[in-house]
Amino acid sequence: MTDIIFLLLIFFMITSTMVSPNAIKVLLPQGSQQTSAKPLTRVIIDKELNYYTAFGTDDEMPIDPEELTAFLLDCQGKEPEMYVALYADESVPYREIAWVLNIANENQFKVVLATRKPDRK
């Protein structure tokens, strides 16, 4: 009986670490610093300038950019101390990133810019 429980524990530990936090293909810019803050809300901009959002462990859903402020305010109502993680593809124009940062600044959201670890040479 203990063997079965131990095997189930190992199975769930392995499968839980394999879950991708970002199912949408976004090539993130490189950064040497990684944040330890756990964002509750994700805003994703892919290379075609499509916007996706998710709160907590929910799946990413497409959203109209004009509805982004309302979505973030709704999330803040659920969790006042939330962090917003911005996942933007490397090819996204800076004006799109600045637009999201302006929304965050106007509403006093804490924003974390997602990056990937630098490539080893």
Side-chain angles (χ1 to χ4, degrees), residues 19-32:
V19 174
S20 174
N22 189 3
I24 299 167
K25 297 293 181 197
V26 176
L27 181 62
L28 297 174
Q30 294 182 0
S32 60

Side-chain angles (χ1 to χ4, degrees), residues 30 46-47 50 76:
Q30 294 182 0
D46 66 8
K47 61 184 175 182
N50 297 317
Q76 186 181 34

Side-chain angles (χ1 to χ4, degrees), residues 16 52 113:
S16 67
Y52 301 89
L113 298 176

